[in-house]
Amino acid sequence: MLDDRGGLLAHGLFSQIELHRAYGGVVPELASRDHVRRLLPLVESVLNAAGARAPGEIQGVAYTAGPGLIGALLTGAALARSLAFAWGVPALGVHHLEGHLLAPLLEPEPPPFPHVALLVSGGHTLLIEVSAIGRYRVLGASRDDAAGEAFDKTAKLLGLPYPGGPHLAELAREGRPGRFKFPRPMLDRPGLEFSFSGLKTAVLHAVAAQELTPAVRADVARGVEDAIVDTLIAKSLRALEATGLAVLVVSGGVSANRTLRERLAAAVGARGARVYYPRIEFSTDNAAMIAVAGLARLKAGERDTLAIGARAQWPLESLPAVGP
Ligand code: KG4
Ligand code: ZN
């Protein structure tokens, strides 16, 4: 629950990681069915935590309308629009990636506009020029796997549980740098595109070539993390240079990675620019970031119709600008 003046009053998260762990990834049908069970109790607990005495205190309902798994999205859309209808307030479907982009606005020192955003999640790796809320220009994207996907897939090869990113990062702390040197794709070419799919093949070859002792696993994890982080840093610096901007925002699940945060802050700082992150909790998927984007757009007068819908695909650049 987000208040225009009072800020974030309460927020909640129900993680489905345990539900999907046995399958090594998200099972769409299980996700939607569990949404049906969890959503309303979660909304109630957040309203209670915020001390909302009456529904009349709520002036709008924002929800994630895409892009993503349509079954899970529709479950949320149906609940959000039904609540809004019952409460007699507007509802608004928010773009998941816009939520990630605006998550740092929840921090005490929000990033100024314009800036360059590095959006790194399980499904996306994007460099975006953000001139204002709703004004996004994609500068570069991954041609294949996303950075989070590269973390998850290589973690799986090392036998780590789903989702592998945070586990691999943890293991990498014990690894020796330089013991495994994995490719840093597209660094030798100009441009702002990424490609991470070769990394899992390289890791597969490396682990097949020797016994996977705990020390070797840690060294491989370190090699993977360094390869991904190096690539993200190099391209982010290139994007700052190409746009002439001095502010970088890093968001999405992979921005929870501490090595990335520390090394990027140093590299960007050395160039006289500044980097902003959401707090770790709001790097990975959360509802607070959807409220931020929703509030900005509801204030600007955007509203959904009464029809319930969601979008599996939704280009970020097609969003309308907010304000003049
Ligand atoms: O944004 P997010 O929560 O969900 C999507 O929209 O995809 O991002 C999830 C991704 C997963 O691939 C996960 O492994 C990765 O973020 N991730 C991390 C870390 N925490 C989450 N990757 C590396 N290091 C971390 N600490
Ligand atoms: Zn996300």
Side-chain angles (χ1 to χ4, degrees), residues 96 100 121 285 289:
H96 178 74
H100 277 305
S121 69
D285 287 351
M289 69 186 195

Side-chain angles (χ1 to χ4, degrees), residues 101-182:
L101 288 176
L102 303 184
L105 299 185
L106 286 160
E107 301 312 312
E109 234 190 290
F113 297 93
H115 57 247
V116 170
L118 170 68
L119 204 171
V120 269
S121 69
H124 294 88
T125 304
L126 293 164
L127 277 163
I128 302 164
E129 185 177 350
V130 180
S131 339
I133 297 180
R135 289 185 195 272
Y136 310 118
R137 187 165 71 92
V138 175
L139 303 168
S142 178
R143 294 184 168 186
D144 40 59
D145 291 355
E149 215 172 346
F151 267 108
D152 295 342
K153 286 179 176 171
T154 51
K156 207 169 185 173
L157 294 175
L158 292 174
L160 296 168
Y162 158 86
H167 296 285
L168 188 134
E170 184 77 29
L171 189 59
R173 288 181 171 271
E174 298 156 29
R176 289 169 292 175
R179 177 71 186 75
F180 288 94
K181 185 102 177 141
F182 294 119

